């Protein structure tokens, strides 16, 4: 059932209409990572790399990082533990060559397609999730740090409005679940605050790895709303808002979810 | 959608069955409430339906609903509870207007039919005991 309705209410987490919301001051930071709402066995699975199924994707991502000789990721970026440190913590971000705000997945695709000459990945392709997991791991333990340039801030602002909008046949907003009703039970699932600091995730229900957008699509489907295609502007805007909303929280990628 | 306004007189109830529906059947109503893909009620509410294990706690228990409310009041609360509380999270089960970004498969359709709502109301009316 968790698939049926994944998220509901409206207490705007933060701030004024124009400026991006500041992260809440640590003194009264009520924010909790999604992992805080999970059962102990799932938490243990995320905590312990030898039990975390997402580490299989990390291992594949590390292998892919080195594949392709002259055109490998290593050839240009060297040691990912250094060059990719903190990168996942600051996506989505405005990208000069794309001329728009893009996700980490899209940034990786730019290099795969543009620099390596690979065919574009299908959405949710394991290879892309593997590289994403490997790169995201390099930000584990670091604070979520969204960029504050004008285009990224504008995307987050649009995302914030979307987050508060009632959508779908069930007429529920993201905020109604994740700001106003977190910690309560939606049938069998505890509603988390909806922070994106552990993505991509291994979800037991999926029996596989999935992106943040896959999670957002699930929530939209749950309220019987139209689901935008992968990497649609609305999804990128929501990702940008989620990053700002989670600013300063600790990156836990790659996460495990029930 | 037929304008509910013409039915919701005093604003606290819909006195007559919804258009086209026959008398509600409590057994069918129970099945609708229990089904998470049809009634969806147990996502948010608990109810004395013990075979359904995972019940939500976003909303008051439905136990005793039949002693708290009259049939017209129950009908309004299922058909369009936003008339009583515009900020409610409870979906309006008999409304199609004023919604945004509805998935194409559901666009223009109410969550439950008039008959299903009568069935659910008939079931709720049997819930006399509070937990
Ligand atoms: C009806 C309630 C509801 C609505 C509406 C809803 N969600 Fe959710 N959401 C959930 C639940 C429940 C989960 C966790 C499911 C699980 O246990 O795996 C979740 C999970 C999430 C997560 C993952 C959090 C984590 O820690 O992994 C994010 C991010 C999220 N939702 C964002 C959104 C956004 C954005 C919207 C609006 C487009 C939205 N949700 C709408 C109930 C909802
Ligand atoms: C031929 C060179 C080349 C190859 C091969 C290459 N990249 Fe890149 N990559 C770049 C350049 C140049 C940039 C910086 C672009 C910019 O600053 O606009 C970049 C940027 C990135 C970024 C964003 C870094 C940041 O700090 O924002 C990521 C993530 C990335 N690459 C991942 C990869 C992955 C994964 C692969 C292999 C699948 C790969 N790259 C292969 C040249 C390459
Ligand atoms: C997404 C959440 C949600 C769903 C789904 C939902 N409700 Fe509710 N319901 C509520 C909330 C919250 C209230 C509390 C009153 C309010 O907020 O207006 C409520 C109130 C009620 C009430 C009046 C309160 C009382 O004393 O019992 C009844 C009756 C009721 N709901 C029945 C149902 C039935 C039957 C269904 C399914 C056909 C259903 N609800 C589906 C959230 C929900």
């Amino acid at each position: 059932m968790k698939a049926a309705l994944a998220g509901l209410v409206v207490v705007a987490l933060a701030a004024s209409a124009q400026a991006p919301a500041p992260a809440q001051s640590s003194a009264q930071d009520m924010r909790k990572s999604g992992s805080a709402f999970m059962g102990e066995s799932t938490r243990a699975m995320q905590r312990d790399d030898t039990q975390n199924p997402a580490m299989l994707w990390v291992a594949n991502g590390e292998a892919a990082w080195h594949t392709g000789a002259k055109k490998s990721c290593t050839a240009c970026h060297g040691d990912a533990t250094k060059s990719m440190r903190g990168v996942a913590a600051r996506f989505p971000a405005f990208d000069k060559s794309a001329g728009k705000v893009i996700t980490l997945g899209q940034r990786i695709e730019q290099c795969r397609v543009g620099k390596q000459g690979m065919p574009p990945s299908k959405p949710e392709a394991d290879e892309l999730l593997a590289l994403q997991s490997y790169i995201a791991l390099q930000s584990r333990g670091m604070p979520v740090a969204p960029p504050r340039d004008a285009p990224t801030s504008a995307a987050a602002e649009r995302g914030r409005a979307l987050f508060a909008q009632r959508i779908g046949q069930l007429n529920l907003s993201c905020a109604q679940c994740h700001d106003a009703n977190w910690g309560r039970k939606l049938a069998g699932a505890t509603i988390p605050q909806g922070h994106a600091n552990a993505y991509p995730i291994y979800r037991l229900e999926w029996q596989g790895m999935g992106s943040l957008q896959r999670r957002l699509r699930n929530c939209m489907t749950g309220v019987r709303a139209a689901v935008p295609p992968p990497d649609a502007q609305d999804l990128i805007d929501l990702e940008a808002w989620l990053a700002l909303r989670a600013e300063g929280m600790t990156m836990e990628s790659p996460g495990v979810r029930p | 959608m037929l304008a509910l306004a013409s039915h919701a007189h005093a604003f606290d109830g819909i006195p007559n069955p919804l258009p086209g529906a026959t008398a509600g059947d409590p057994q069918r109503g129970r099945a609708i409430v229990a089904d998470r893909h049809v009634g969806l009620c147990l996502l948010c509410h608990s109810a004395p339906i013990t075979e359904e294990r995972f019940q939500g706690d976003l909303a008051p228990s439905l136990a005793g609903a039949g002693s708290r409310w009259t049939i017209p009041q129950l009908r309004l609360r299922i058909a369009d509870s936003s008339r009583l509380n515009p900020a409610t999270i409870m979906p309006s089960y008999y409304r199609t207007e004023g919604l945004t970004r509805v998935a194409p498969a559901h666009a223009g359709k109410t969550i439950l039919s008039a008959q299903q709502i009568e069935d659910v109301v008939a079931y709720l009316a049997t819930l006399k005991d509070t937990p």
Side-chain angles (χ1 to χ4, degrees):
Chain A
M1 116 28 41
K2 292 190 203 138
L5 254 199
L8 290 194
V9 188
V10 190
V11 175
L13 244 193
S16 75
Q18 289 91 25
Q24 297 190 327
S25 76
S26 48
Q28 334 129 317
D29 198 337
M30 297 285 288
R31 295 176 304 172
K32 288 183 193 183
S33 168
S35 54
F37 298 93
M38 308 190 304
E40 180 47 34
S41 64
T42 320
R43 290 161 60 124
M45 215 184 263
Q46 172 170 311
R47 225 172 18 236
D48 177 355
D49 283 350
T50 67
Q51 281 190 53
N52 184 339
M55 294 311 283
L56 291 171
W57 275 260
V58 168
N60 290 340
E62 182 172 7
W65 182 263
H66 298 292
T67 306
K70 275 198 207 142
K71 282 185 172 172
S72 71
C73 316
T74 332
C76 294
H77 294 290
D79 179 357
T81 64
K82 299 196 177 78
S83 66
M84 293 292 135
R85 186 154 169 73
V87 170
R90 55 178 162 74
F91 270 83
F94 179 73
D95 184 84
K96 274 211 197 95
S97 58
K100 57 180 185 182
V101 177
I102 61 172
T103 64
L104 177 62
Q106 288 175 299
R107 178 61 258 196
I108 294 169
E109 271 295 274
Q110 280 189 357
C111 284
R112 284 186 72 256
V113 176
K115 311 277 186 201
Q116 295 189 314
M118 306 281 280
S121 311
K122 295 210 177 80
E124 302 295 318
D126 268 327
E127 160 128 347
L128 189 59
L129 287 167
L131 279 166
Q132 242 174 287
S133 306
Y134 179 56
I135 291 172
L137 176 69
Q138 314 309 326
S139 293
R140 191 155 76 178
M142 297 177 73
V144 175
R148 293 303 190 115
D149 59 83
T152 309
S153 299
E157 203 47 52
R158 290 190 300 270
R160 181 224 290 265
L162 242 170
F163 197 84
Q165 185 187 24
R166 285 174 166 248
I167 57 170
Q169 192 192 34
L170 305 193
N171 201 27
L172 293 165
S173 71
C174 319
Q176 284 180 298
C177 278
H178 293 296
D179 286 345
N181 278 304
W182 58 263
R184 297 219 170 100
K185 287 271 187 200
L186 184 72
T190 306
I191 301 177
Q193 292 181 348
H195 295 301
N197 55 320
Y199 282 74
I201 54 159
Y202 182 90
R203 191 159 181 232
L204 298 165
E205 188 177 301
W206 295 336
Q207 306 256 308
M209 206 70 194
S211 69
L212 177 57
Q213 290 192 13
R214 182 169 178 191
R215 173 68 258 178
L216 302 186
R217 285 202 296 278
N218 273 200
C219 285
M220 292 172 167
T221 306
V223 299
R224 302 182 176 178
V227 175
D231 295 330
Q233 186 70 53
D234 283 342
L235 292 173
I236 295 173
D237 291 348
L238 276 172
E239 283 203 31
W241 166 237
L242 291 173
L244 194 56
R245 196 170 165 264
E247 182 175 46
M249 291 178 73
T250 303
M251 291 282 290
E252 296 175 5
S253 309
V256 179
R257 292 291 180 268
Chain B
M1 186 74 301
L2 292 162
L4 275 173
S6 58
H7 300 267
H9 295 299
F11 251 82
D12 191 35
I14 302 175
N16 300 312
L18 296 173
T22 58
D25 172 46
Q27 277 307 110
R28 283 200 310 250
R30 186 183 191 276
I32 293 164
V33 170
D35 189 326
R36 287 134 212 262
H37 302 286
V38 180
L40 310 161
C41 319
L42 299 185
L43 293 175
C44 298
H45 293 274
S46 57
I49 300 183
T50 45
E51 72 274 17
E52 289 297 325
R53 282 179 54 224
F54 298 109
Q55 307 195 355
D57 68 3
L58 300 182
S61 167
L62 296 178
S67 47
R68 287 192 294 279
W69 311 104
T70 65
I71 284 181
Q73 285 173 324
L74 287 169
R75 193 178 280 122
L76 174 59
R77 277 156 183 77
I78 312 304
D80 193 358
S81 67
S82 71
R83 284 173 177 270
L84 300 160
N85 171 12
T88 187
I89 57 169
M90 174 150 164
S92 297
Y93 280 82
Y94 201 62
R95 173 155 77 86
T96 53
E97 73 281 9
L99 304 176
T100 31
R101 295 173 183 253
V102 177
H106 298 286
K109 297 179 187 153
T110 58
I111 304 172
L112 292 178
S113 68
Q115 185 62 53
Q116 287 174 313
I117 290 175
E118 292 307 319
D119 293 343
V120 167
V121 167
Y123 166 65
L124 294 176
T126 68
L127 302 181
K128 298 291 188 195
D129 297 336
T130 35

